[in-house]
């Protein structure tokens, strides 16, 4: 292929640049034969218009010509020159804009610096002619409207409205309060550099808001003086940059101390506190005595597989799985007893309802029968709801987090284990291998949940076969293969309570130890309840986090804990 002469002004070329549209690269090429550019535009950009561009041309088959470099055609060159000019113009504009922005930023930074310097000179002084401000918590703000008050808290939200107005939503753990800072109050150095989560003390008067304006409790504190106590970082280090609702769960658990400041997490803990109080009130009201059993023990309650072992002065000991056995020993001395204590399970199940440490509400009652046990349980589940809902702030959180919450209908459905096995069959709920659950088999979490969600109301699942339940459970008088046992199942969560009547006969208990392969020796203190005046008795344990997860419709029990403990996490 013959070289064609380059056009007009480009004919006296100082540099030759090669272009190969298929093999060349505008990023790594340099215009040589070995490293051609991909486009003529790039050749012009790199060497200016005074360049001789050689383009790789592929000869057509049967043309008799050979492929090779040839001078760019006039039309192609014109097009490339036009394009290069356009791009140059565009780049120039972008550069100009960037320079303009940089100048603006610089001016704004200088202006901010100037304003901040000037702001340092604005010193607030509390007006001594004003009445002394009474220190209050936000929860008491409605009762203190119209009076001059002083409130300390954390900046939860912040809104600057021009030079002369700044709104702060203050949080002190008891509530939220809108505070408005006017004029020089929002022109100090501290107000101009105020950040979320900083701590401040505000002084002023709380007034009801006029119609049409909204704020927590429908009022606002007009600040007449304020102080900054501790500034929180802004920018990269700001709390909202470190963790927010979209953060990965592991980040949320690592930064649980910050997450706790969010409204939802705080709300759950507030309800939790009220639920625990409701359990205590429920039992106190019925004459139960609260006891605090030990957490470090040397006997298992619910089998060896979930025990956390510890070295106790060179002896083997465990973290308790349940305080039940200790509660049983209290009956002859204290009568009906309960505890709200931590239980520990080295769980093999990594599900959203299993924790390694959980709060266990356990109760034990003497001289009752199985029906009494079930009636007491139903009464407790419902009474605790009523007591918690009677606390208005908790009710507000419950209906906010779980708008569809309805108190369960009484009486709860009572269903025998044998009927549950039949229910699973009738409703085609199978094992993973496609077979049905048979009588005598444990019903695991998934089918239990499927059944509970389908029935969609609380279930007392009763009378489990002895082989799949704990050693201490009393046999049913009508069928000694079964136990007087109950699991309470709730829609959405599954089992929240496990309970039973206990073996009251000494011989029977001794036989149970043998059957379960337990050495009776370390259980002597438990066994002797049957020796020194036995009684029919029974009790139960309720997982507080599961109860809360059900009440608040939480996806996981982990969110019902202050600092959850589960597989792989014992920090912070
Ligand atoms: O059914 P469980 O194992 O029963 C007992 O421990 C009895 N000794 C209680 C008693 O009769 N005093 O556990 C009782 C309840 C369960 O229904 C569940 O709510 C909760 O404790 N629970 C757990 N909660 C969170 N994480 C875990 N790993 C739990 N294991 C049990």
């Amino acid at each position: 292929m013959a070289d064609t002469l380059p056009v007009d002004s480009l004919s006296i070329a100082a540099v030759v640049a090669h272009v190969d549209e298929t093999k060349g690269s505008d990023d790594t090429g340099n215009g040589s034969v070995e490293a051609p550019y991909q486009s003529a535009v790039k050749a012009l950009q790199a060497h200016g218009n005074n360049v001789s561009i050689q383009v790789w041309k592929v000869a057509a088959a049967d043309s008799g010509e050979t492929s090779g470099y040839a001078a760019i055609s006039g039309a192609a060159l014109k097009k490339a020159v036009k394009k290069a000019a356009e791009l140059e113009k565009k780049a120039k504009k972008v550069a100009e804009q960037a320079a303009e922005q940089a100048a603006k930023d610089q001016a704004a930074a200088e202006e901010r610096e100037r304003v901040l310097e000037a702001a340092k000179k604005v010193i607030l002084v509390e007006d001594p002619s004003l009445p002394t401000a009474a220190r209050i918590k936000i929860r008491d703000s409605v009762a203190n409207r119209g009076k001059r008050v002083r409130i300390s808290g954390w900046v939860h939200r912040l809104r600057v409205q021009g030079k002369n107005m700044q709104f702060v939503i203050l949080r002190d753990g008891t509530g939220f309060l809108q505070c408005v800072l006017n004029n020089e109050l929002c022109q100090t150095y501290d107000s101009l550099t105020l950040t979320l989560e900083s701590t401040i003390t505000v002084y002023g008067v709380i007034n009801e808001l006029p119609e049409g304006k909204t704020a927590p409790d429908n009022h606002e504190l007009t600040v007449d003086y304020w102080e900054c106590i501790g500034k929180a970082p802004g920018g990269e280090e700001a709390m909202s940059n470190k963790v927010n609702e979209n953060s990965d769960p592991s980040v949320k658990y690592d930064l649980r101390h910050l997450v706790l400041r969010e409204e939802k997490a705080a709300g759950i803990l507030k309800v939790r506190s009220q639920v625990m109080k409701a359990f205590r009130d429920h039992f106190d009201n019925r004459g139960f005595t609260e006891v605090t059993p030990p957490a470090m023990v040397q006997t298992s309650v619910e089998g060896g597989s979930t025990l956390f072992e510890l070295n106790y002065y060179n002896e083997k000991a465990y973290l308790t799985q349940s305080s039940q056995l200790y509660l049983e020993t209290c009956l002859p001395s204290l009568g009906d007893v309960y505890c709200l204590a931590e239980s520990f399970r080295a769980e093999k199940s990594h599900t959203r309802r299993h924790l390694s440490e959980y709060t266990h509400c356990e109760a034990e009652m003497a001289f009752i029968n199985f029906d009494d046990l079930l009636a007491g349980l139903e009464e407790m589940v419902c009474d605790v709801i009523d007591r918690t809902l009677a606390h208005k702030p908790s009710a507000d959180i419950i209906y906010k987090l779980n708008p569809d919450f309805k108190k369960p209908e009484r009486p709860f459905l009572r269903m025998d284990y044998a009927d549950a096995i039949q229910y699973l069959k009738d409703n085609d709920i199978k094992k993973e291998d496609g077979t049905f659950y048979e009588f005598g088999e444990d019903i695991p979490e998934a089918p239990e949940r499927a059944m509970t969600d389908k029935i969609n109301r609380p279930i007392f699942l009763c009378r489990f076969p002895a082989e799949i339940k704990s050693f201490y459970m009393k046999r049913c008088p009508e069928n000694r293969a079964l136990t007087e046992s109950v699991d309470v199942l709730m829609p959405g969560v599954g089992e929240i309570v496990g309970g039973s009547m206990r073996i009251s006969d000494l011989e029977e208990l001794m036989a149970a130890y043998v059957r379960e392969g337990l050495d009776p020796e370390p259980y002597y203190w438990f066994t002797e309840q049957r020796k020194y005046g036995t009684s029919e008795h029974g009790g139960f344990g309720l997982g507080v986090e599961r109860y809360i997860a059900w009440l608040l419709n939480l996806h996981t029990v982990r969110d019902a804990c202050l600092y959850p403990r589960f597989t792989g996490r014992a920090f912070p």
Side-chain angles (χ1 to χ4, degrees):
M1 185 183 286
D3 276 6
T4 46
L5 269 180
V7 282
D8 48 77
S9 64
L10 296 169
S11 55
I12 315 153
V15 187
V16 178
H18 296 83
V19 171
D20 184 334
E21 282 176 4
T22 37
K23 297 204 184 107
S25 163
D26 285 350
D27 294 327
T28 56
N30 60 14
S32 63
V33 173
E34 296 77 24
Y37 297 121
Q38 194 187 15
S39 70
V41 173
K42 179 66 192 181
L44 292 167
Q45 283 173 334
H47 307 287
N49 284 0
N50 196 20
V51 65
S52 165
I53 300 175
Q54 297 285 309
V55 180
W56 182 264
K57 298 215 168 117
V58 183
D62 305 331
S63 66
E65 293 180 356
T66 52
S67 299
Y69 279 108
I72 190 167
S73 72
L77 181 60
K78 251 187 199 157
K79 203 169 152 195
V81 168
K82 196 172 163 208
K83 181 82 186 161
E86 269 170 28
L87 288 177
E88 195 182 330
K89 209 166 144 194
K90 221 181 206 170
K92 211 167 146 195
K93 200 163 171 201
V94 169
E96 274 167 18
Q97 279 169 347
E100 220 169 275
Q101 190 55 45
K104 270 190 196 155
D105 290 350
Q106 166 85 7
E110 280 168 15
E111 172 62 8
R112 174 141 178 95
E113 205 49 43
R114 194 189 62 71
V115 171
L116 288 180
E117 274 312 305
K120 282 182 187 163
K121 298 194 185 88
V122 181
I123 307 293
L124 300 179
V125 182
E126 190 179 357
D127 183 348
S129 70
L130 292 173
T132 308
R135 195 168 79 90
I136 65 160
K137 293 278 185 193
I138 293 176
R139 65 165 170 256
D140 300 321
S141 52
V142 171
N144 282 281
R145 281 182 186 164
K147 297 175 210 155
R148 189 160 182 267
V149 294
R150 165 164 71 98
I151 305 178
S152 300
W154 288 259
V155 176
H156 190 64
R157 305 247 183 279
L158 190 58
R159 182 157 54 89
V160 176
Q161 206 152 301
K163 248 179 80 180
N164 294 318
M165 201 182 254
Q166 190 169 355
F167 289 96
V168 169
I169 302 281
L170 195 66
R171 180 189 80 231
D172 73 348
T174 75
F176 298 91
L177 177 69
Q178 177 161 300
C179 309
V180 58
L181 287 76
N182 289 308
N183 304 324
E184 66 170 12
L185 289 163
C186 64
Q187 289 157 5
T188 63
Y189 182 80
D190 278 340
S191 54
L192 295 183
T193 56
L194 196 60
T195 44
L196 294 182
E197 297 306 319
S198 295
T199 35
I200 60 173
T201 301
V202 288
Y203 298 66
V205 176
I206 301 168
N207 291 308
E208 206 169 336
L209 281 176
E211 286 265 326
K213 297 205 171 180
T214 50
D217 285 326
N218 200 35
H219 62 199
E220 155 182 292
L221 184 140
T222 305
V223 178
D224 61 48
Y225 176 67
W226 73 281
E227 294 161 315
C228 182
I229 299 163
K231 199 89 52 76
E236 284 260 305
E237 274 288 288
M239 189 182 111
S240 53
N241 268 338
K242 295 189 89 174
V243 65
N244 55 51
E245 55 197 64
N246 302 321
S247 303
D248 189 78
S250 71
V251 172
K252 287 188 187 174
Y253 291 124
D254 284 348
L255 300 180
R256 181 81 180 146
H257 59 296
L258 299 180
V259 170
L260 292 178
R261 298 173 180 217
E262 292 172 359
E263 263 173 86
K264 181 173 177 186
I268 294 169
L269 292 179
K270 291 247 171 196
V271 171
R272 181 186 161 111
S273 156
Q274 206 57 37
V275 164
M276 304 238 325
K277 181 175 182 303
F279 275 115
R280 289 203 159 92
D281 289 347
H282 170 84
F283 288 119
D284 289 351
N285 205 258
R286 285 157 180 76
F288 282 62
T289 300
E290 180 174 3
V291 291
T292 41
M296 294 192 255
V297 300
Q298 290 192 305
T299 44
S300 80
V301 186
E302 301 298 331
S305 72
T306 60
L307 282 173
F308 274 113
E309 198 176 304
L310 60 114
N311 179 329
Y312 191 79
Y313 305 110
N314 293 327
E315 272 189 50
K316 205 185 262 192
Y318 314 102
L319 294 176
T320 190
Q321 296 167 311
S322 158
S323 299
Q324 175 198 324
L325 308 192
Y326 293 103
L327 292 188
E328 288 188 49
T329 66
C330 295
L331 292 175
S333 137
L334 304 172
D336 296 342
V337 282
Y338 77 98
C339 68
L340 269 166
E342 298 296 278
S343 279
F344 304 85
R345 305 276 169 113
E347 281 292 354
K348 308 287 179 284
S349 327
H350 309 164
T351 76
R352 58 195 173 98
R353 71 176 198 184
H354 284 96
L355 294 161
S356 306
E357 174 177 353
Y358 69 97
T359 304
H360 208 167
C361 175
E362 294 184 273
E364 207 62 32
M365 291 143 284
F367 304 110
I368 59 164
N369 62 30
F370 190 43
D371 284 338
D372 298 330
L373 178 70
L374 299 185
L377 250 175
E378 187 177 308
E379 178 64 20
M380 179 194 71
V381 169
C382 296
D383 185 45
V384 170
I385 297 170
D386 289 341
R387 287 174 187 275
T388 309
L389 287 177
H391 181 251
K392 170 88 170 58
S394 297
D396 289 348
I397 298 168
I398 292 168
Y399 288 114
K400 190 169 174 194
L401 295 182
N402 188 6
D404 298 329
F405 178 74
K406 281 188 195 68
K407 287 201 244 176
E409 271 174 42
R410 297 179 69 174
F412 290 180
L413 178 67
R414 279 142 167 90
M415 188 182 206
D416 278 352
Y417 163 86
D419 299 331
I421 292 290
Q422 191 55 46
Y423 181 96
L424 297 180
K425 286 185 175 153
D426 293 346
N427 287 273
D428 209 30
I429 301 171
K430 293 179 179 162
K431 293 189 218 169
E432 269 180 15
D433 67 7
T435 61
F436 282 115
Y437 290 93
E438 296 300 337
F439 188 92
E441 285 181 321
D442 191 28
I443 304 176
E445 183 174 341
E448 175 196 279
R449 222 182 176 121
M451 178 179 85
T452 314
D453 290 351
K454 204 156 185 173
I455 293 174
N456 200 24
R457 53 182 286 210
I459 305 168
F460 278 171
L461 193 55
C462 303
R463 298 184 180 86
F464 289 83
E467 303 79 61
I468 59 167
K469 282 293 181 185
S470 307
F471 73 95
Y472 52 74
M473 291 190 180
K474 187 180 157 71
R475 305 282 177 137
C476 292
E478 69 280 7
N479 180 351
R480 295 196 51 84
L482 303 178
T483 53
E484 288 192 323
S485 52
V486 58
D487 279 0
V488 181
L489 312 180
M490 289 305 207
V493 183
E495 182 199 326
I496 63 161
V497 176
S500 76
M501 293 301 291
R502 322 301 191 189
I503 294 175
S504 57
D505 180 74
L506 184 60
E507 297 309 314
E508 199 180 329
L509 181 61
M510 297 314 288
Y513 289 131
V514 174
R515 193 191 69 231
E516 295 297 320
L518 288 170
D519 175 7
E521 204 279 323
Y523 289 91
Y524 70 93
W525 50 277
F526 175 68
T527 312
E528 288 191 356
Q529 301 309 307
R530 283 85 191 155
K531 183 170 160 189
Y532 292 95
T534 194
S535 67
E536 291 301 330
H537 65 287
F540 55 82
L542 172 143
V544 171
E545 291 79 7
R546 291 193 187 176
Y547 186 80
I548 292 165
W550 165 71
L551 186 64
L552 298 179
N553 192 26
L554 304 179
H555 173 69
T556 164
V557 291
R558 296 172 183 179
D559 290 347
C561 307
L562 184 64
Y563 285 95
R565 296 306 185 232
F566 50 92
T567 328
R569 183 166 292 273
F571 62 93

